[in-house]
């Protein structure tokens, strides 16, 4: 017997065949989990990689060694890319973390629509073709006071479709103070150009008056547009024409007036002591012909864009051929219907709608949660970081005013002296490396885990022993 050498031609010759790997015990287990084709391809890839290497690793002659490498490959591939995380960033509606969480009723409706055929565009009473908007139009009319409503993929699509329908090759008058950019490169002037409209800017960044709009109205005017400047504020010497003023102006000149509300809560949040957000109902009462808003911001539903307002204008929007490319699928339509239904019982909303439930969560409850978690967290961190409870300020997020914060509490983790600058980043990475990644925010000297949005306390605690700080 020659002694096996690690590497060289002798090593290569000793590699098992693909068949031997597949027939080994480890190979058969893998086939049970991933299927024969995938395991065969993985075995070929692992063997090819070993052959291409400069030396053959000592264990490579053993089919079980190859199978173990295959298992690692197959598991990495099978792991979902889109995964649940803990949002402890202190931003309740975090766009990068998927914004609103769906209430139970919406998840059930979504599941039913996914598993069964449904009357998406089928009129059950007449037995013929129906219109998908009908599942939510009545609810939106009731909740906003609008004559009619249509829904599309998201609010960006709603704005685009509205502009393209009402102001193609015409001018859209907008205040210079409202030419906003929303995260992810949604810039009002660019969207307008792509929608085929000419932007007619009026006023100045800080002050725009009724007469600015009035002076710009002419034969080519297609639309007056007001954009809710949700993600920033102009402070100090400022002036803006109100919705009521613009509504009256537009009506006297027979031009449509649209308001892009962005978040657009359907209920008055001030009822729960939250910062007031404009509602679509109020914009319509002020004279807007059309209002657009998102489904997954303060409405607390799935990604969607609502357009509500005058029936004749909604009909024109429905006839735009581009709408087909922007329409809502049955899953989100089912979820949206369920979320809108919850809004019909506002007294239960704070209990049933996760977004609102987190926004109204009392500070004392968040502090109590912090106190309960602190000992386990200290134990998991050992000497790598100091943990303490600190006051925190939560943002509503997704374009709601960044200065309207909600008092909250966080676990502040300060890395030990030895770790210096790299400590904070390393600590944040360790929390992201947990089976359900924990996303916090770095604030000065500490990694802050804001607890306003932590509802699954047990799930959070359960995985702490696996932290590798
Ligand atoms: C968020 C927002 C949008 C974009 O809405 P999406 O639903 O994210 O497409 C448009 N306009 C305003 C004012 C917004 O706040």
């Amino acid at each position: 017997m020659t002694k096996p050498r690690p590497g060289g031609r002798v090593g290569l010759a000793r590699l098992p065949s693909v068949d031997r790997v597949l027939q080994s015990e480890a190979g058969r287990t893998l086939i049970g989990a991933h299927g024969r084709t995938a395991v065969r391809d993985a075995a070929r890839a692992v063997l090819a990689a070993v052959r291409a290497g400069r030396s053959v690793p000592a264990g490579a002659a053993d089919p079980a060694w190859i199978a173990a490498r295959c298992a690692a490959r197959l598991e990495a591939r099978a792991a979902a890319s889109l995964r649940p995380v803990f949002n402890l960033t202190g931003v309740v509606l975090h766009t990068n973390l998927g914004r609103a969480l769906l209430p139970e009723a919406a998840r059930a409706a979504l599941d039913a629509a996914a598993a069964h055929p449904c009357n998406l565009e089928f009129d059950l009473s007449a037995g013929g073709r129906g219109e998908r908007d009908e599942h939510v139009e009545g609810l939106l009319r009731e909740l906003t006071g609008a004559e009619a409503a249509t829904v599309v993929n998201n609010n960006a699509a709603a704005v685009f479709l509205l502009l393209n329908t009402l102001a193609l090759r015409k001018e859209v008058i907008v205040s210079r103070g409202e030419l906003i950019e929303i995260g992810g490169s949604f810039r009002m002037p660019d969207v307008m150009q792509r929608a085929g409209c000419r932007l007619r800017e009026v006023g100045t960044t800080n002050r725009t008056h009724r007469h600015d709009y009035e002076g710009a109205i002419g034969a080519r005017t297609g639309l007056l547009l007001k954009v809710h400047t949700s993600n920033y504020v102009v402070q100090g010497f400022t002036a803006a024409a109100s919705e009521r003023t613009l509504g009256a102006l537009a009506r006297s000149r027979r031009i449509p007036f649209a308001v892009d509300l962005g978040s657009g809560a359907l209920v008055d949040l001030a009822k729960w002591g939250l910062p007031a957000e404009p509602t679509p109902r109020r914009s319509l009462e002020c004279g807007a012909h059309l209002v657009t808003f998102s489904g997954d911001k303060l409405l607390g539903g799935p990604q969607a864009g609502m357009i509500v307002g005058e029936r004749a204008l909604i009909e024109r929007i429905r006839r735009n051929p581009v709408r087909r490319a922007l329409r809502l699928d049955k899953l989100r339509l089912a979820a949206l219907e369920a979320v809108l239904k919850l809004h019909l019982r506002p007294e239960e909303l704070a209990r049933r709608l996760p977004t609102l439930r987190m926004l109204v969560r009392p500070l004392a409850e968040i502090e109590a949660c912090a106190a309960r978690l602190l000992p386990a967290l200290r134990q998991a961190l050992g000497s790598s970081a100091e943990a303490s409870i600190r006051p925190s300020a939560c943002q509503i997020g997704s374009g709601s005013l960044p200065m309207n914060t909600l008092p909250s509490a966080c676990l502040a983790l300060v890395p030990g002296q030895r770790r210096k600058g790299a400590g904070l980043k390393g600590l944040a990475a360790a929390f992201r490396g947990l089976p359900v990644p924990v996303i916090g925010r770095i604030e000065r000297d500490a990694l802050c885990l804001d607890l306003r949005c932590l509802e699954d306390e047990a799930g959070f605690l359960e995985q702490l022993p696996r932290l590798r700080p």
Side-chain angles (χ1 to χ4, degrees):
M1 284 284 281
T2 50
K3 251 177 42 181
R5 279 198 289 138
R9 308 233 43 95
V10 173
L12 275 182
R14 296 172 64 90
L15 283 180
S17 67
V18 169
D19 270 343
R20 265 191 66 210
V21 176
L22 297 187
Q23 281 155 22
S24 69
E25 196 179 330
R28 287 199 305 271
T29 309
L30 277 184
I31 289 170
H34 301 278
R36 187 177 178 83
T37 310
V39 178
R40 184 201 60 203
D41 291 350
R44 281 183 185 155
V46 169
L47 287 167
V50 170
R51 281 192 203 99
R54 279 207 288 162
S55 63
V56 177
D62 183 354
W65 188 95
I66 301 290
R69 297 298 177 285
C70 293
R73 258 174 201 258
L74 291 163
E75 271 153 29
R77 201 185 64 165
S81 166
L82 190 62
R83 296 158 60 193
V85 303
F86 282 104
N87 172 14
L88 305 190
T89 59
V91 180
V92 178
L93 290 167
H94 198 300
T95 296
N96 303 143
L97 301 181
R99 291 194 186 158
L101 310 181
L102 290 183
E104 173 119 29
R107 300 201 310 267
L110 188 149
D111 193 57
H116 306 282
C118 60
N119 59 333
L120 177 64
E121 290 182 353
F122 188 80
D123 183 337
L124 287 174
S125 51
R129 200 185 140 82
E131 157 67 58
R132 66 177 69 200
D133 273 349
E134 269 169 20
H135 303 292
V136 292
E137 186 175 21
L139 290 163
L140 283 168
R141 286 174 51 191
E142 190 173 341
L143 290 164
T144 65
E147 273 177 22
T150 185
V151 290
V152 287
N153 178 62
N154 58 6
N155 188 37
V159 172
F160 177 87
L161 192 61
L162 185 152
L163 290 170
N164 181 263
T165 307
L166 302 183
L168 184 62
R169 288 186 284 279
K170 291 185 184 158
E171 287 181 358
V172 178
I173 304 179
V174 191
S175 161
R176 289 201 169 88
E178 297 172 6
L179 292 171
I180 58 167
E181 171 178 317
I182 298 155
S185 74
F186 180 86
R187 289 179 150 196
M188 212 28 113
D190 301 342
V191 172
M192 233 175 254
Q193 193 192 5
R194 291 297 176 121
C197 312
R198 259 189 308 255
L199 169 64
R200 180 72 192 265
E201 303 173 36
V202 295
T204 59
T205 306
N206 58 332
R207 290 174 74 82
T208 305
H209 308 273
R210 178 191 157 108
H211 60 77
D212 293 318
Y213 289 89
E214 225 169 352
I217 294 176
R220 285 184 300 199
T221 307
L223 182 74
L224 290 191
L225 178 68
K226 192 164 176 63
V227 184
H228 183 49
T229 54
S230 41
N231 54 2
Y232 77 104
V233 275
V234 184
Q235 268 182 337
F237 186 55
T238 66
S242 72
E243 286 178 6
R244 203 171 285 289
T245 301
L246 292 182
L249 176 61
R251 275 157 205 275
S252 74
R253 306 293 290 268
R254 298 181 177 281
I255 300 162
F257 167 44
V259 178
D260 171 20
L261 272 190
S263 211
L266 284 182
V267 286
D268 181 11
L269 297 181
K271 248 202 298 218
W272 291 278
L274 295 168
E277 270 285 328
T279 61
R281 181 183 290 277
R282 183 173 149 73
S283 299
L284 292 171
E285 281 167 1
C286 284
H289 293 91
L290 293 172
V291 179
T292 67
F293 55 99
S294 282
D296 54 356
K297 294 185 181 173
L298 286 169
L299 182 63
Q303 181 189 301
M306 265 52 74
I307 313 176
V308 300
E310 254 182 31
R311 175 161 302 283
L313 297 176
I314 295 287
E315 289 299 339
R316 276 178 66 193
I317 288 171
R318 282 213 182 101
R319 287 196 297 270
N320 188 331
V322 176
R323 177 167 165 258
R324 171 68 183 244
L326 304 173
R327 71 186 185 183
L328 208 57
D329 68 288
K330 63 178 178 175
L331 302 184
R332 287 186 286 148
L333 204 50
L336 181 61
E337 182 190 353
V339 169
L340 292 174
K341 286 227 171 87
L342 289 186
H343 282 76
L344 296 177
R345 294 176 71 180
E347 58 290 340
E348 306 223 337
L349 209 53
R351 198 164 53 81
R352 295 217 195 155
L353 196 70
T355 299
L356 190 58
R357 188 167 66 222
M358 291 189 279
L359 288 175
V360 303
R361 196 169 175 202
L363 177 60
E365 206 181 281
I366 303 170
E367 287 170 342
C369 170
R372 283 193 298 273
L373 296 179
L374 188 62
L377 199 68
R378 283 192 168 141
Q379 192 179 355
L381 288 166
S383 63
S384 63
E386 291 279 335
S388 63
I389 299 172
R390 280 190 196 172
S392 172
C394 253
Q395 288 185 19
I396 296 174
S398 277
S400 291
L401 284 182
M403 32 277 293
N404 282 340
T405 56
L406 307 171
S408 185
C410 71
L411 294 163
L413 318 180
V414 180
Q417 280 303 315
R418 287 179 292 119
R419 312 188 50 164
K420 299 235 171 66
L424 266 181
K425 279 191 179 157
L427 200 56
F431 276 91
R432 289 199 308 275
L434 286 167
V436 180
V438 173
I439 320 292
R441 76 165 182 269
I442 289 178
E443 211 174 76
R444 296 189 313 269
D445 60 331
L447 172 66
C448 294
L449 307 180
D450 189 299
L451 299 175
R452 176 172 289 277
C453 294
L454 181 66
E455 291 198 323
D456 180 14
E457 222 176 287
F460 178 82
L461 281 173
E462 196 179 281
Q463 59 170 2
L464 272 188
R466 299 177 68 167
L467 188 74
R468 299 283 165 268

